[in-house]
Amino acid sequence: MGEMSSFQLGVVGALFLSVASSVSIVICNKALMSNLGFPFATTLTSWHLMVTFCTLHAAQRLNFFESKSIDTKTVMLFGILNGVSIGLLNLSLGFNSIGFYQMTKLAIIPFTVLLETLFLNKQFSRKIKFALFLLLVGVGIASVTDLQLNLVGTILSLLAIVTTCVGQILTNTIQKRLNVSSTQLLYQSAPFQAAILFVSGPLVDQFLTKQNVFVFKYSPLVLGFIVLSCLIAVSVNFSTFLVIGKTSPVTYQVLGHLKTCLILGFGYTLLRDPFTERNIIGILIAICGMGLYSFFCTQESKKKQSPDLSLVSQIKDKDTTQLLGHPDKESHEAKKSTKDSVV
């Protein structure tokens, strides 16, 4: 029971860290890109990952965690896949309307459910599916405004969905099957993610923004926000791996939509973004979906634990019975031996 309480506390801490850091970095990046005119999102992500790796390397040197070697081919492919998925999501945003990009993000949950059902034999109850459906409807109402389709944008969105889902499923699977922590996996894979984005980032950003990141005029204020963004990103990247490892890719996506609702709220209160009744209704529906998802997951988790506890209890009772049975058997044998000696 103590271990279970500790695990639940760890999950809550990971969820809180993920939400707090993600909302913080979105606000920071929005100020950097919208107010200060720094539009190079993909290149900025590569810097995030490089700072994350350097921070983890320093932490490992100071013995904050123990590095665990993972098969180089596995971690390389995993890192490249995650790097490609980030680039594809940014390209999808560049080629599509904001509304279609939001639909792309919404499609990640049902596609993840489909992949886990087909390839990992994971079962999702009707209650869980209903809660996820309610969540997606709410987020869709709150965030999706316009839908403009084009062939290139649609293809990029599909590729982004597939690579993101596979990458998040692998994040969970690798940690459990290879018995590595989120920190160890992030430490091993971050250099490959950073490398693929460091090479492709400037090209992707120049294609999307028609500006060159290397000739941009970096003022002290811009540099300060870039440093702040990179520092927050360490927490974002760490909490992402931590949440997916402790829960599941679907739960992480649900948490991501909670962040979307919070960001909409913060955007209205702090940045005075336009906010309508539709946004409010959508956020309320999404929160209901999240609440139901959390409630149903907790119920199903308790149901799974009950047979395990019952089995443990039966095993203990059986062992106790056997232990109590030995003296009776020995006493019977002693009596029989005494009777034989008298005869």
Side-chain angles (χ1 to χ4, degrees):
M1 292 297 291
E3 291 181 359
M4 182 59 64
S5 299
S6 177
F7 175 77
Q8 291 174 346
L9 188 63
V11 170
V12 172
L15 295 174
F16 177 79
L17 179 63
S18 180
V19 171
S21 58
S22 295
V23 173
S24 299
I25 200 169
V26 167
I27 294 172
C28 178
N29 287 348
K30 188 165 186 177
L32 179 62
M33 295 177 185
S34 300
N35 299 340
L36 299 177
F38 183 86
F40 310 107
T42 311
T43 303
L44 181 63
T45 305
S46 72
W47 297 345
H48 288 170
L49 288 162
M50 282 190 287
V51 171
T52 298
F53 172 71
C54 292
T55 304
L56 290 177
H57 184 68
Q60 191 269 328
R61 286 286 188 178
L62 294 171
N63 296 319
F64 282 100
F65 71 95
E66 183 180 351
S67 177
K68 187 173 182 178
S69 61
I70 307 173
D71 177 55
T72 306
K73 185 179 179 181
T74 299
V75 77
M76 183 185 296
L77 291 174
F78 172 74
I80 291 173
L81 177 67
N82 278 319
V84 169
S85 73
I86 294 170
L88 286 170
L89 281 170
N90 288 339
L91 281 172
S92 173
L93 178 59
F95 275 91
N96 295 303
S97 63
I98 299 294
F100 192 80
Y101 175 73
Q102 288 294 340
M103 288 297 294
T104 299
K105 292 176 70 176
L106 291 176
I108 291 174
I109 283 184
F111 197 78
T112 302
V113 170
L114 178 64
L115 288 179
E116 290 195 317
T117 302
L118 292 177
F119 297 103
L120 299 179
N121 296 320
K122 190 171 181 178
Q123 300 299 319
F124 295 88
S125 67
R126 289 183 180 180
K127 291 180 180 180
I128 294 290
K129 290 177 181 177
F130 172 73
L132 292 174
F133 173 75
L134 197 63
L135 164 67
L136 296 178
V137 169
V139 175
I141 292 172
S143 61
V144 177
T145 52
D146 59 325
L147 289 175
Q148 299 175 9
L149 303 178
N150 64 81
L151 181 60
V152 176
T154 302
I155 293 172
L156 287 171
S157 292
L158 290 173
L159 291 173
I161 290 168
V162 172
T163 53
T164 301
C165 291
V166 173
Q168 290 179 359
I169 290 171
L170 286 176
T171 301
N172 180 272
T173 305
I174 290 174
Q175 288 186 54
K176 290 182 177 178
R177 291 190 178 177
L178 300 184
N179 194 27
V180 295
S181 68
S182 55
T183 309
Q184 291 168 332
L185 180 59
L186 179 59
Y187 177 58
Q188 296 285 340
S189 62
F192 299 104
Q193 295 182 60
I196 192 73
L197 289 174
F198 188 75
V199 173
S200 62
L203 299 175
V204 171
D205 287 334
Q206 187 166 7
F207 180 76
L208 294 175
T209 65
K210 310 302 179 187
Q211 298 182 54
N212 191 332
V213 66
F214 299 111
V215 297
F216 183 82
K217 294 181 180 179
Y218 294 89
S219 67
L221 187 59
V222 170
L223 288 173
F225 268 92
I226 289 174
V227 171
L228 178 61
S229 179
C230 289
L231 292 176
I232 299 173
V234 175
S235 178
V236 172
N237 291 324
F238 173 73
S239 62
T240 296
F241 277 62
L242 189 61
V243 169
I244 295 176
K246 283 185 173 293
T247 57
S248 70
V250 174
T251 299
Y252 175 73
Q253 285 300 322
V254 170
L255 188 69
H257 293 306
L258 171 61
K259 298 171 193 174
T260 300
C261 294
L262 290 174
I263 288 163
L264 287 172
F266 277 114
Y268 172 72
T269 54
L270 299 179
L271 305 176
R272 298 299 175 188
D273 289 342
F275 210 63
T276 64
E277 290 181 0
R278 174 180 171 174
N279 297 128
I280 297 172
I281 293 170
I283 289 173
L284 291 175
I285 294 173
I287 290 173
C288 287
M290 291 173 206
L292 288 174
Y293 176 79
S294 177
F295 177 71
F296 293 147
C297 282
T298 303
Q299 273 192 329
E300 293 186 5
S301 178
K302 286 180 179 178
K303 286 181 181 179
K304 288 179 181 178
Q305 289 172 17
S306 295
D308 294 338
L309 292 173
S310 177
L311 182 61
V312 170
S313 177
Q314 289 176 6
I315 293 172
K316 286 183 177 179
D317 290 342
K318 185 178 178 182
D319 291 341
T320 304
T321 303
Q322 288 177 344
L323 287 171
L324 292 173
H326 286 313
D328 293 339
K329 185 177 179 182
E330 289 173 359
S331 176
H332 176 71
E333 289 178 351
K335 288 178 180 178
K336 184 180 179 182
S337 176
T338 305
K339 184 178 180 182
D340 290 342
S341 62
V342 171
V343 174

